[in-house]
Amino acid sequence: FHHIGALDLFHAVARELHGLTVAEQVIGEGTPKSIVDALSKHLLALFDEADGLPGTLADKTGLRFIHLHNIRETTHGLTALIQRGDGRAEYWAKRMVRRMRQALDDKGQIHLDRLPKYVEEYNYQPSQEGRAVDALVRYYRVTTDPVALELAGLLASYALEHCFTAVGDLTQAAGNH
């Protein structure tokens, strides 16, 4: 693993864990324990007991920041570790899912004032958080955590309501990522 920036810790590590786990299930070959252990160490180090969310130190300021954009990748990575029997991953996934649920209202809209002040402004709802639905459903299938399914449902409903017209065309709120 070669770290070239703070966002790599979310994207590269979590995606690698997810990808390795999916590939193992398809081809039936295991990943060396040393690789999984190294990736696990990086992923789990993103979590802080104070906020229960994945964050890291910003490259320029050295201060902790959180991009909600990375909830999808982090959920996939934690789910991969849970499938390997990692109780630490299950602990952090549960905390993260509940913290994110607490940040939503009953229509699925995120209220950043319910989260730590160092959650980055780059959290374009609905398009970015709507991307997390698949990861949350996969996590639910592995753990049967009902809060994950509730969170996925709220995010999906909010995204569908704001990203599509009545005839199914994309709206500007759907974004471009």
Side-chain angles (χ1 to χ4, degrees), residues 32-92:
K33 184 177 180 328
S34 60
I35 292 173
V36 174
D37 288 348
L39 292 170
S40 300
K41 178 182 155 204
H42 287 296
L43 183 63
L44 296 173
L46 296 173
F47 288 90
D48 186 302
E49 198 65 48
D51 57 48
L53 294 169
T56 193
L57 303 180
D59 294 325
K60 292 183 181 175
T61 66
L63 300 174
R64 182 169 172 78
F65 77 99
I66 296 169
H67 268 302
L68 295 183
H69 172 88
N70 298 308
I71 294 297
R72 175 184 74 160
E73 286 81 5
T74 306
T75 303
H76 277 311
L78 291 171
T79 301
L81 292 177
I82 292 166
Q83 289 175 299
R84 296 171 182 278
D86 192 322
R88 301 166 303 166
E90 191 160 2
Y91 169 81
W92 286 116

Side-chain angles (χ1 to χ4, degrees), residues 137-149:
V137 170
R138 287 175 191 248
Y139 167 72
Y140 170 77
R141 287 180 175 158
V142 170
T143 66
T144 66
D145 180 351
V147 180
L149 197 56

Side-chain angles (χ1 to χ4, degrees), residues 10-26:
F10 301 100
H11 281 83
V13 171
R15 284 180 176 174
E16 288 165 9
L17 280 165
H18 173 63
L20 289 170
T21 302
V22 170
E24 287 175 354
Q25 292 167 353
V26 172

